[in-house]
Amino acid sequence: MSKTIRIGGVPEHYNTPIHLAIESGAIKNEGLQIEWITFEGGTGEMREALINNKVDICAILTEGIVSGILQGVPAKIISGYVKSPLIWGIHSGTENPIRDHKEIYDKQFAISRIGSGSHLMPIVDALNNDKKIEESQFKIIQNLKGALASLQKQETDVFYWEKYTTKPYVERGELKRIGEYVTPWPCFVLAAHTEIINERPKDISRVLRQIQRTSAMFMENEDAVNMVSERFKIKKEDAAKWYHATEWATDGWVSNKMLKNVVYTLKEANIIDEMADTEQLVWQRNSI
């Protein structure tokens, strides 16, 4: 009888290789059954699921899981996943008078959850512009749908979300993009709950092997752009721009220098209290 592993992620194009690894039967051939869990609330919702042991492995924003682990989320980074940075679209409601990215730092921010990318990135962005955002400026709106409603009512003024996911809403006039912000590190890693790491390390390695193998194949797939365009309702030209700017990990290596960069930035932005040993963030594969 196959053993189940619960894998979660956002409903976005970045996770196409994971879906292909599941759909092709590659992971099932390892003797494992996969339950995919969609987290529309993003990294903050995944952190909550890890705390409550409702998911085993997540494709999660690097800065979100680093800050989460340092704040007590029972997880470790088990592999890199998307090696390229994320391009965040910075958005406002169409009737909001804000016109430019430079005007936002004293405004009200819509965020999916505390600890999510939509929460952390404005703080890091402000830091890089010698500004500071107070916690009172954040309003939790759960997900993209909640943000659309909040921004249009002008209960909030600003919302950070992945550029190509929100582009159809911008083109339909439901959102206004006022800027972009590029994450200063690789955007997604794979993280696992400490319980499954301790109890089933070989199963984790099997899952990783197939996700990384499928990622390598996806990067060589001539039909990848069409696939992404059709699956995620993204214009073909946008899917092509995104695909050719994105690289996935094909092995489990995680750069310690990159993690030090994230920890330093989170500390400077007052998201975490002190510098931390980056070794505690990563699964140390001594047992297998």
Coordinates of all heavy atoms in Angstrom, one line a residue, residues 90-110 137 151 154-160 175-179:
I90 N 3.3 45.7 -7.7 CA 2.7 46.6 -6.6 C 1.5 47.2 -7.1 O 1.5 47.9 -8.2 CB 3.8 47.6 -6.2 CG1 5.1 46.9 -5.8 CG2 3.3 48.5 -5.1 CD1 6.3 47.9 -5.7
H91 N 0.4 47.0 -6.4 CA -0.9 47.3 -7.0 C -1.7 48.3 -6.1 O -1.5 48.3 -4.8 CB -1.8 46.1 -7.2 CG -1.1 45.0 -7.9 ND1 -0.3 44.1 -7.3 CD2 -1.1 44.7 -9.3 CE1 0.2 43.3 -8.3 NE2 -0.3 43.6 -9.5
S92 N -2.7 49.0 -6.7 CA -3.6 49.8 -5.9 C -5.0 49.6 -6.6 O -5.1 49.0 -7.7 CB -3.1 51.2 -5.9 OG -3.9 52.0 -5.0
G93 N -6.0 50.2 -5.9 CA -7.3 50.2 -6.6 C -7.4 51.2 -7.7 O -6.6 52.2 -7.7
T94 N -8.2 50.9 -8.7 CA -8.2 51.7 -9.9 C -8.7 53.2 -9.6 O -8.3 54.1 -10.3 CB -9.2 51.1 -10.9 OG1 -10.4 50.8 -10.3 CG2 -8.6 49.8 -11.5
E95 N -9.4 53.4 -8.5 CA -9.9 54.8 -8.2 C -9.0 55.4 -7.2 O -9.2 56.6 -6.8 CB -11.3 54.7 -7.6 CG -12.4 54.1 -8.6 CD -12.4 54.8 -9.9 OE1 -12.4 56.1 -9.9 OE2 -12.5 54.2 -11.0
N96 N -8.0 54.7 -6.7 CA -7.1 55.3 -5.7 C -6.2 56.3 -6.3 O -5.7 56.1 -7.4 CB -6.2 54.2 -5.1 CG -5.6 54.6 -3.8 OD1 -4.8 55.5 -3.7 ND2 -5.9 53.9 -2.7
P97 N -6.0 57.5 -5.7 CA -5.2 58.5 -6.3 C -3.7 58.2 -6.4 O -2.9 58.9 -7.1 CB -5.4 59.8 -5.4 CG -5.9 59.2 -4.1 CD -6.6 58.0 -4.5
I98 N -3.2 57.2 -5.7 CA -1.8 56.8 -5.8 C -1.4 56.5 -7.2 O -2.1 55.8 -7.9 CB -1.5 55.5 -4.9 CG1 -1.7 55.8 -3.4 CG2 0.0 55.1 -5.1 CD1 -1.5 54.6 -2.6
R99 N -0.3 57.0 -7.7 CA 0.1 56.8 -9.1 C 1.5 56.2 -9.2 O 1.8 55.7 -10.2 CB 0.2 58.2 -9.8 CG -1.2 58.8 -10.1 CD -1.8 58.1 -11.3 NE -3.2 58.5 -11.5 CZ -4.3 57.9 -11.0 NH1 -4.1 56.8 -10.3 NH2 -5.5 58.3 -11.2
D100 N 2.3 56.2 -8.1 CA 3.7 55.8 -8.2 C 4.1 55.0 -7.0 O 3.7 55.3 -5.8 CB 4.5 57.0 -8.4 CG 6.0 56.6 -8.8 OD1 6.2 56.5 -10.0 OD2 6.8 56.5 -7.9
H101 N 5.0 54.0 -7.2 CA 5.6 53.2 -6.2 C 6.2 54.1 -5.0 O 6.1 53.7 -3.9 CB 6.7 52.4 -6.8 CG 7.5 51.5 -6.0 ND1 8.6 50.8 -6.4 CD2 7.3 51.1 -4.7 CE1 9.1 50.0 -5.5 NE2 8.3 50.2 -4.4
K102 N 6.7 55.2 -5.3 CA 7.4 56.1 -4.3 C 6.4 56.7 -3.3 O 6.8 57.2 -2.3 CB 8.1 57.2 -5.1 CG 9.3 56.8 -6.0 CD 9.8 57.9 -6.8 CE 10.9 57.4 -7.8 NZ 11.3 58.5 -8.7
E103 N 5.1 56.6 -3.6 CA 4.1 57.3 -2.8 C 3.5 56.4 -1.7 O 2.7 56.8 -0.9 CB 3.0 57.8 -3.6 CG 3.3 58.8 -4.7 CD 2.1 59.1 -5.6 OE1 1.0 59.0 -5.1 OE2 2.3 59.3 -6.8
I104 N 4.0 55.1 -1.6 CA 3.2 54.1 -0.9 C 3.6 53.9 0.6 O 2.8 53.4 1.3 CB 3.4 52.7 -1.6 CG1 4.8 52.2 -1.4 CG2 2.9 52.8 -3.0 CD1 5.0 50.8 -1.9
Y105 N 4.7 54.4 1.0 CA 5.2 53.9 2.3 C 4.5 54.4 3.5 O 4.7 53.8 4.6 CB 6.7 54.2 2.4 CG 7.5 53.6 1.3 CD1 8.1 54.3 0.3 CD2 7.6 52.2 1.2 CE1 8.8 53.8 -0.8 CE2 8.3 51.6 0.1 CZ 8.9 52.4 -0.8 OH 9.6 51.8 -1.9
D106 N 3.6 55.4 3.4 CA 2.8 55.8 4.6 C 1.3 55.3 4.4 O 0.5 55.8 5.1 CB 2.9 57.3 4.7 CG 2.3 58.1 3.5 OD1 2.2 57.5 2.4 OD2 2.1 59.3 3.7
K107 N 1.1 54.4 3.4 CA -0.3 54.0 3.1 C -0.7 52.7 3.9 O 0.1 52.2 4.6 CB -0.4 53.8 1.6 CG 0.0 55.0 0.8 CD -0.8 56.3 1.1 CE -0.4 57.4 0.2 NZ -1.0 58.7 0.6
Q108 N -1.9 52.3 3.6 CA -2.4 51.0 4.2 C -2.2 49.9 3.2 O -2.5 50.0 2.0 CB -3.9 51.2 4.5 CG -4.2 52.1 5.6 CD -3.7 51.6 7.0 OE1 -4.0 50.5 7.4 NE2 -3.0 52.4 7.7
F109 N -1.6 48.8 3.7 CA -1.2 47.6 2.9 C -2.2 46.4 3.2 O -2.4 46.1 4.3 CB 0.2 47.2 3.2 CG 1.2 48.2 2.8 CD1 1.5 49.4 3.5 CD2 2.0 48.0 1.6 CE1 2.4 50.3 3.1 CE2 2.9 48.9 1.2 CZ 3.2 50.0 1.9
A110 N -2.7 45.9 2.1 CA -3.4 44.6 2.1 C -2.4 43.5 2.1 O -1.5 43.4 1.3 CB -4.4 44.5 0.9
Q137 N -0.1 49.6 9.7 CA -0.4 49.9 8.3 C -0.8 48.6 7.5 O -1.2 48.7 6.3 CB 0.8 50.5 7.6 CG 1.2 51.9 8.0 CD 2.5 52.4 7.4 OE1 3.5 52.6 8.1 NE2 2.5 52.6 6.1
L151 N -9.1 46.8 -1.9 CA -8.5 47.9 -2.7 C -9.5 48.8 -3.4 O -9.4 50.0 -3.4 CB -7.5 47.4 -3.7 CG -6.2 46.7 -3.1 CD1 -5.4 46.0 -4.2 CD2 -5.3 47.8 -2.5
Q154 N -11.1 51.0 -1.2 CA -10.1 51.9 -0.6 C -10.0 51.8 0.9 O -9.6 52.7 1.6 CB -10.3 53.3 -1.0 CG -10.1 53.5 -2.6 CD -10.0 55.0 -3.0 OE1 -9.3 55.8 -2.4 NE2 -10.7 55.3 -4.1
E155 N -10.3 50.6 1.4 CA -10.0 50.3 2.8 C -8.5 50.1 3.0 O -7.9 50.3 4.0 CB -10.7 49.0 3.2 CG -12.2 49.0 3.2 CD -12.8 47.6 3.4 OE1 -12.1 46.6 3.3 OE2 -14.0 47.6 3.7
T156 N -7.8 49.7 1.9 CA -6.4 49.6 1.8 C -5.9 50.2 0.5 O -6.7 50.5 -0.4 CB -5.9 48.1 1.8 OG1 -6.6 47.4 0.8 CG2 -6.1 47.5 3.2
D157 N -4.6 50.5 0.4 CA -4.1 51.3 -0.7 C -3.2 50.5 -1.6 O -3.0 50.8 -2.8 CB -3.4 52.5 -0.2 CG -4.2 53.4 0.7 OD1 -5.2 53.9 0.2 OD2 -3.9 53.6 1.9
V158 N -2.5 49.5 -1.0 CA -1.4 48.9 -1.7 C -1.4 47.4 -1.5 O -1.7 46.9 -0.4 CB 0.0 49.4 -1.2 CG1 1.2 48.8 -2.0 CG2 0.1 50.9 -1.2
F159 N -1.0 46.6 -2.5 CA -1.0 45.2 -2.4 C 0.1 44.6 -3.3 O 0.2 44.9 -4.5 CB -2.4 44.6 -2.9 CG -2.5 43.1 -2.8 CD1 -2.3 42.4 -1.7 CD2 -2.8 42.4 -4.0 CE1 -2.5 41.0 -1.6 CE2 -3.0 41.0 -3.9 CZ -2.8 40.3 -2.8
Y160 N 1.0 43.8 -2.7 CA 2.1 43.1 -3.4 C 1.6 41.7 -3.7 O 1.3 41.0 -2.8 CB 3.3 43.1 -2.6 CG 4.1 44.3 -2.4 CD1 3.5 45.5 -1.9 CD2 5.5 44.4 -2.7 CE1 4.3 46.7 -1.7 CE2 6.2 45.6 -2.5 CZ 5.6 46.7 -2.0 OH 6.3 47.8 -1.8
L175 N -7.5 46.1 -11.2 CA -6.4 46.5 -10.4 C -5.6 47.6 -11.1 O -5.6 47.6 -12.4 CB -5.5 45.3 -10.0 CG -5.8 44.4 -8.9 CD1 -4.8 43.3 -8.8 CD2 -5.8 45.2 -7.5
K176 N -4.8 48.4 -10.4 CA -3.9 49.3 -11.1 C -2.5 48.9 -10.6 O -2.2 48.9 -9.4 CB -4.2 50.7 -10.7 CG -3.3 51.8 -11.2 CD -3.9 53.2 -10.9 CE -4.0 53.5 -9.4 NZ -4.5 54.8 -9.1
R177 N -1.5 48.7 -11.5 CA -0.2 48.4 -11.1 C 0.6 49.7 -11.1 O 0.6 50.5 -12.1 CB 0.5 47.4 -12.1 CG 1.9 47.0 -11.5 CD 2.7 46.2 -12.4 NE 2.0 44.9 -12.8 CZ 2.0 44.4 -14.0 NH1 2.7 45.0 -15.0 NH2 1.4 43.3 -14.3
I178 N 1.2 50.0 -9.9 CA 1.9 51.3 -9.7 C 3.4 51.1 -9.6 O 4.2 52.0 -9.5 CB 1.4 52.0 -8.5 CG1 1.5 51.1 -7.3 CG2 0.0 52.5 -8.8 CD1 1.1 51.9 -6.0
G179 N 3.9 49.8 -9.7 CA 5.3 49.5 -9.6 C 5.6 48.1 -9.6 O 4.7 47.2 -9.6

